[in-house]
Amino acid sequence: MTQHDPALAELATTFREACWWVAQPGNDFAWCSWEDVTEALAEMEAILTPLEAGQLPDDIRHLLRVLFAPTGPLQELSLSSGWAAQFLVLADRVDRLLGDG
């Protein structure tokens, strides 16, 4: 994907939406790998920065697959926090954009 690739722009927008869900008050981090919202958003910002710059290096592609994997940290957080249906929509979109779905 290149900087002007619409799929990369959609991936960045989708990931920004996932960040929005993670930042919502009342999320329950007990069952995911993140200690709290601060830790989660710091990790996610490190992924979002290259995406928004139009870059998708292999390590970021891998991290996206891990974060959106079944029983990955985003799914665990979504299940314990009441936004599992929204997570599934985001995960399907990420899979499609990464060519995995």
Side-chain angles (χ1 to χ4, degrees):
M1 291 185 199
T2 63
Q3 184 167 358
H4 301 291
D5 186 338
L8 186 52
E10 185 179 352
L11 185 59
T13 298
T14 300
F15 195 65
R16 195 176 310 111
E17 187 176 341
C19 292
W20 182 87
W21 282 104
V22 169
Q24 295 309 295
N27 276 334
D28 180 359
F29 286 84
W31 297 103
C32 73
S33 59
W34 295 305
E35 184 71 26
D36 56 24
V37 65
T38 302
E39 183 180 344
L41 290 177
E43 182 176 340
M44 294 177 82
E45 183 65 32
I47 294 168
L48 189 57
T49 299
L51 289 178
E52 289 187 330
Q55 302 167 358
L56 183 57
D58 288 341
D59 62 329
I60 298 299
R61 182 183 297 270
H62 174 74
L63 288 172
L64 286 168
R65 286 184 175 129
V66 169
L67 289 178
F68 284 94
T71 70
L74 282 173
Q75 185 176 39
E76 294 294 337
L77 180 61
S78 75
L79 287 168
S80 64
S81 301
W83 47 276
Q86 293 86 347
F87 165 80
L88 291 175
V89 170
L90 294 171
D92 285 346
R93 201 176 315 150
V94 168
D95 285 348
R96 177 180 52 81
L97 292 166
L98 291 175
D100 297 337

